[in-house]
Amino acid sequence: MLMPFLITADLIFMGLAFVLLKESLKEQEKRATLFGISGVVLALLIGSLILFVPDIRTVLALILGTGAVICLLCLIPWKQNKHALAGTSGYVVDEVTRFHEADSVFARSRLTPMRSDVYEKYYQNRPEQEERDQIRRKKGILGNIGSIDGGYQSNVAVMISSDEIPDMLGIYADSKPSENCRPAKISTEKATQVIKGYSKKLGADMVGICKTNSNWVYSNRGEIFDGNWDNWGKEIADIPHYAIVFLLEMDHDQVQGAPHTPIASESTINYGKGTFISTILARWIAQMGYRGVAQHSRHYDVILPPLAVDAGLGEIGRNGDLIAPQYGARVRAFAVLTDMPLIPDKPISLGVEEFCKKCLKCADACPSRSIPTGEMTVSRGVRKWKLNEEACYDYWARVGTDCGICMAICPFSRPNNNFHKMIRWVVAYSPIAKALFPYIDNLIYGKKWRSRHVPDWISFPKRSEAEDFPKYSTDIKY
């Protein structure tokens, strides 16, 4: 009985080590590759000891048996995080203070003294922000675009051309049915089915539906893109009752280039696609006799990550990003608000809160130290990890991209293959895995970040080579 158990356990161990080796090579994870090689070699060594050193079999049985028991215990599903399963309401501990859109770093950067009436009104109430905002405004949100890669023209052109799509479509965000268009006779179940199917047909990777919680609606308008500054500061009201939230996956290979221009290029590509999809979906809803309001980078009525949580698309991680089941932090979220009756989805638990408490990988790798290393705190009535947005965006201005290191290094962001699917399932359901896997992940993959090879078409020159490429200059306000 002992020999068959030892051989079987060793073969399983070798198989896991081989899969780790194979996937680590694909993912350009040097440290994990070494662990994979070491695991295969160790399995071969154990196999030799089992076959040729009988006296050590009892000790090996104890070691392998302990490992097998731990693995089996990890496969037993336990209760999930009740706070996560309650959605955002599970983290509300006090009355929520709604966020004024004008307080976002983006809105403040676009608020110039040329709009003297609005400018003075804003800083009269927030004088402590003015000096820092003036410094950032001179640099721009992304400073000298693509500066980390010497302003490499091809990649910067991808960023800017993709970002022009939201500019073009922004004025069409709010779609209302014509006077002669009556609400379609369609059941709630069928409408939900069509909307999810149509969203995916248009290119969405994940779709969820929730009721629009007023806590996540901006209190007042603060970002103006259409020149109608009379709307600035107005209370945001008359919000449709349902939110169709969808996610677009960011390509893993491009994300691996963080904080260089390939990841920023992938961000803007997705912002363009998300604007396209949300606008078409809103227009379809209007044709069905209901109101549809697209939510994208040129028109936000709501804060999207909390709505995505309520729509069953993931949890919020330590880095403040949405962590989705298949893609981790490698997603961009968009939405369409509507008064069309739909069936809401239920929030999910992925084990993110428990994992993030121990992992700290994103916080340790963050070059601007914007991500907290401590426990969750209460901000505006919500218990969460509060990102230092000011420091984060200051770093954006330094490198000329949207960085993305925290997104790239997150263990949940690894490719959606069978190996990582298994790990994610275990973490979602096993308290033992939640306790052990953050440390195992840090041991195997490390906590330091280095940029990986990206697809050739989006590759960037080394700094020394970048000087030979022309700098991209533009008057577009990014």
Side-chain angles (χ1 to χ4, degrees), residues 183-458:
K185 294 181 179 180
I186 184 172
S187 69
T188 304
E189 292 78 10
K190 185 62 176 178
T192 302
Q193 180 190 41
V194 172
I195 277 176
K196 289 187 175 182
Y198 191 25
S199 299
K200 291 186 177 180
K201 180 65 176 178
L202 290 170
D205 292 300
M206 294 182 65
V207 187
I209 295 171
C210 67
K211 290 189 175 180
T212 310
N213 188 330
S214 61
N215 286 336
W216 319 128
V217 178
Y218 287 114
S219 62
N220 301 81
R221 182 73 60 206
E223 284 225 76
I224 304 298
F225 293 102
D226 56 7
N228 188 6
W229 284 89
D230 289 339
N231 284 336
W232 189 94
K234 286 187 176 179
E235 182 180 357
I236 297 179
D238 189 28
I239 295 298
H241 297 303
Y242 294 91
I244 306 156
V245 188
F246 64 90
L247 306 180
L248 296 179
E249 177 192 7
M250 291 182 64
D251 179 69
H252 176 267
D253 291 341
Q254 281 191 230
V255 168
Q256 294 299 291
H260 293 271
T261 47
I263 189 172
S265 300
E266 179 68 359
S267 291
T268 54
I269 288 170
N270 277 280
Y271 281 127
K273 289 168 62 178
T275 302
F276 169 78
I277 295 170
S278 59
T279 302
I280 289 182
L281 192 58
R283 303 292 285 182
W284 175 84
I285 290 171
Q287 291 295 325
M288 294 292 288
Y290 295 91
R291 184 184 177 199
V293 188
Q295 303 293 304
H296 53 71
S297 60
R298 293 302 179 269
H299 183 93
Y300 287 124
D301 297 300
V302 296
I303 304 173
L304 286 178
L307 283 187
V309 169
D310 287 341
L313 297 177
E315 293 184 58
I316 304 297
R318 180 181 288 275
N319 60 358
D321 284 341
L322 179 77
I323 308 296
Q326 292 96 322
Y327 314 116
R330 293 186 295 109
V331 291
R332 293 298 180 195
F334 305 86
V336 176
L337 307 182
T338 182
D339 53 4
M340 175 183 280
L342 299 169
I343 300 175
D345 292 290
K346 295 181 179 180
I348 59 176
S349 173
L350 305 174
V352 169
E353 179 184 349
E354 300 92 326
F355 193 97
C356 287
K357 282 181 179 180
K358 299 178 177 64
C359 178
L360 298 177
K361 197 185 294 281
C362 63
D364 290 339
C366 177
S368 60
R369 295 294 179 262
S370 303
I371 302 171
T373 57
E375 297 294 319
M376 288 180 168
T377 56
V378 177
S379 175
R380 297 190 298 111
V382 182
R383 185 171 64 87
K384 62 180 180 178
W385 283 292
K386 180 67 174 69
L387 183 74
N388 183 342
E389 294 94 347
E390 305 293 333
C392 178
Y393 297 132
D394 282 347
Y395 183 74
W396 286 22
R398 281 182 55 196
V399 296
T401 71
D402 54 1
C403 182
I405 288 176
C406 61
M407 176 189 299
I409 201 171
C410 176
F412 287 94
S413 293
R414 298 205 174 95
N416 191 37
N417 53 42
N418 290 332
F419 178 69
H420 291 305
K421 283 180 182 177
M422 178 186 69
I423 300 299
R424 291 182 186 123
W425 185 92
V426 170
V427 168
Y429 287 97
S430 169
I432 296 174
K434 291 180 179 69
L436 292 179
F437 278 34
Y439 302 109
I440 294 173
D441 190 273
N442 285 335
L443 175 65
I444 294 176
Y445 290 93
K447 300 182 74 172
K448 292 184 178 180
W449 176 251
R450 62 172 183 83
S451 302
R452 274 70 164 174
H453 175 75
V454 297
D456 290 340
W457 75 270
I458 197 71

Side-chain angles (χ1 to χ4, degrees), residues 49-126:
L49 292 174
I50 292 170
L51 292 174
F52 302 113
V53 186
D55 293 343
I56 204 171
R57 289 173 186 168
T58 303
V59 175
L60 291 176
L62 181 62
I63 296 172
L64 293 174
T66 302
V69 169
I70 293 174
C71 290
L72 289 173
L73 288 174
C74 286
L75 294 177
I76 299 174
W78 292 60
K79 290 183 179 179
Q80 294 181 291
N81 186 340
K82 64 179 182 180
H83 299 293
L85 292 175
T88 55
S89 63
Y91 294 89
V92 172
V93 297
D94 202 349
E95 183 178 354
V96 175
T97 304
R98 288 168 58 189
F99 192 79
H100 194 308
E101 190 183 29
D103 288 331
S104 76
V105 174
F106 300 103
R108 285 167 18 218
S109 294
R110 295 186 180 103
L111 185 61
T112 67
M114 292 175 61
R115 305 299 314 173
S116 57
D117 51 341
V118 174
Y119 184 93
E120 292 176 7
K121 183 178 180 180
Y122 180 79
Y123 288 110
Q124 183 178 7
N125 296 324
R126 301 164 180 82

